[in-house]
Amino acid sequence: MAANGPAAFRVTQHAVPGAATDPTTATPLFRPLTVRDVEFPNRISVSPMCTYSAQNGVATDFHLVHMGQFALRGVGLSVMEAAAVVPEGRISPWDLGLWSDDHVAPLKRIADFFRAHNGPKLGIQLAHAGRKASTLAPWMVKRGEKYMAGPEVGGFVDRVVAPSPVAWSEAMADPRELSVEEIQGLVQAFADAARRCDEAGLDVRTDDYGGSLENRMRFLVEIVEAVRGAWPASKPLFLRLSCTDWVEDSTWDIAAVIEVVKRVAPLGIDVVDCSSGGNAKHQKISLAPLYQVPFADQIKQAVPDVHVVAVGLITTAEEANEVVGEGKADIVMMARPFLRDSWVQSAAHTLGTEIAYVAQYERGRL
């Protein structure tokens, strides 16, 4: 044990939380994965979840406690919520940001907590909300009301921008169309945010994009090149893609996504997070358990040098283990199950794999 005052006190950990005691006999879900110089103790990841708890983009005590629990519980990779690269790129006025150096120290505090617990990795999602910016937190919206965040609560509806001047819905702000100069400014903003991620001590970063191949390929390629140039070569770079719009007349489908992945992989993308939807209000999503796993599987088969993440209604240990065991994805990412219980420990027990606990939780073994 070491301490320089209560805030610096740490119990020395002698094992990596969530790592299999014997990786050679562990089920697929609990086998380690190495990407570049980063080793993840298992294939379990927490998806980025908006918590609407930041102040002017700055992480608060809530973020330390919310994310810190996943380090203690042995999640292989915990990805913090979308952090906007510019103020007007926030989903809500209470989102995280990385447009200022003032945002680094509070994030470093969280990263230091993860590092002190000997293995679980921390990532963050860099993003720009586009036409879906300046909204209220879900609990602030009553049924039937608009969910735009106005200036009275710190909103910025007059500064919402997008690739085209088309609103997401009548309940949200009317965006202004971005100029070519502004697009170039955003490329630099992503690169600057990546640099701040490294200064904060994060292990992984990820971006969120979607849109048509013809209109968005160049923008995406420029951002990947800029971010990879600012992000250390020893650390993985994840890319989150929407693999279909779930719109009948859309040209954005898995075939287009595969072409995008083939283009950006040589530029330094290590892992593709395979999501879907969220680009059109009239989307019709066919929800079912594991409904997005086929996207990850198809990308993995088409671009085998890239690792893939499967997401979407993966809830049980058996489902997650099957996805990894059958080679459909390298990592499974979940969100809501982690808000309900200690999913990693329960999954290890269900699958018959012994894993390490943080020293303080050893007596809680099932």
Side-chain angles (χ1 to χ4, degrees):
M1 297 183 180
N4 291 309
F9 179 83
R10 295 287 186 271
V11 172
T12 301
Q13 304 297 327
H14 299 287
V16 178
T21 304
D22 182 0
T24 63
T25 61
T27 54
L29 192 61
F30 286 94
R31 293 172 188 162
L33 174 68
T34 299
V35 184
R36 294 191 181 243
D37 291 351
V38 176
E39 180 174 281
F40 303 99
N42 56 50
R43 308 304 183 92
I44 303 166
S45 177
V46 172
S47 292
M49 294 179 273
C50 291
T51 60
Y52 311 96
S53 299
Q55 293 184 320
N56 297 318
V58 176
T60 62
D61 284 353
F62 177 87
H63 295 94
L64 173 64
V65 176
H66 171 62
M67 297 306 299
Q69 66 173 313
F70 304 132
L72 300 180
R73 296 296 186 183
V75 176
L77 169 63
S78 302
V79 184
M80 295 190 71
E81 63 193 74
V85 299
V86 290
E88 63 273 15
R90 289 172 291 173
I91 299 169
S92 81
W94 308 280
D95 282 13
L96 287 178
L98 267 167
W99 65 80
S100 167
D101 290 345
D102 293 338
H103 297 137
V104 173
L107 291 175
K108 188 176 186 302
R109 181 183 176 212
I110 301 171
D112 288 347
F113 184 86
F114 270 71
R115 194 157 287 110
H117 288 85
N118 200 32
K121 304 304 179 185
L122 179 66
I124 195 166
Q125 180 181 9
L126 299 186
H128 190 295
R131 59 174 52 90
K132 297 168 79 172
S134 195
T135 63
L136 295 169
W139 54 83
M140 300 174 69
V141 182
K142 295 180 181 179
R143 185 178 294 275
E145 292 184 353
K146 290 190 174 184
Y147 38 93
M148 288 185 292
E152 68 280 1
V153 293
F156 37 91
V157 291
D158 59 333
R159 292 186 287 131
V160 174
V161 295
S164 61
V166 179
W168 169 259
S169 74
E170 62 280 358
M172 298 180 70
D174 292 317
R176 179 179 56 78
E177 184 172 345
L178 284 163
S179 67
V180 173
E181 292 75 15
E182 287 172 319
I183 290 173
Q184 292 303 313
L186 284 177
V187 171
Q188 185 60 48
F190 272 92
D192 291 341
R195 171 184 56 79
R196 295 185 183 105
C197 285
D198 185 48
E199 291 174 1
L202 277 77
D203 302 295
V204 171
R205 58 167 305 287
T206 179
D207 295 306
D208 189 11
Y209 301 103
S212 72
L213 187 62
E214 295 78 9
N215 293 337
R216 301 298 295 275
M217 174 77 88
R218 184 178 297 109
F219 182 50
L220 174 58
V221 167
E222 289 177 354
I223 287 185
V224 169
E225 290 175 331
V227 168
R228 186 73 266 182
W231 186 238
S234 61
K235 295 184 177 183
L237 182 60
F238 285 42
L239 175 67
R240 171 172 262 197
L241 287 171
S242 178
C243 295
T244 179
D245 285 336
W246 296 106
V247 174
E248 187 174 349
D249 58 353
S250 175
T251 59
W252 184 246
D253 55 19
I254 189 61
V257 172
I258 288 172
E259 291 305 309
V260 169
V261 175
K262 288 179 178 178
R263 177 71 176 87
V264 298
L267 302 179
I269 292 296
D270 302 295
V271 183
V272 177
D273 178 354
C274 308
S275 186
S276 71
N279 293 321
K281 183 174 182 286
H282 56 294
Q283 63 189 10
K284 295 181 179 179
I285 301 177
S286 303
L287 291 175
L290 314 182
Y291 75 105
Q292 293 181 140
V293 171
F295 301 133
D297 188 17
Q298 290 178 70
I299 291 174
K300 187 171 178 62
Q301 298 304 317
V303 196
D305 291 338
V306 173
H307 297 290
V308 297
V309 178
V311 302
L313 292 184
I314 303 170
T315 57
T316 70
E318 294 86 351
E319 289 171 344
N321 192 59
E322 176 185 307
V323 169
V324 176
E326 293 184 355
K328 296 177 179 177
D330 300 289
I331 300 171
V332 289
M333 191 174 277
M334 297 166 281
R336 293 177 180 86
F338 288 109
L339 300 180
R340 293 192 285 265
D341 58 29
S342 300
W343 197 93
V344 177
Q345 285 73 20
S346 298
H349 179 72
T350 297
L351 298 172
T353 296
E354 183 177 306
I355 63 171
Y357 283 43
V358 290
Q360 301 96 318
Y361 288 7
E362 275 287 350
R363 290 183 294 177
R365 285 187 178 277
L366 295 171

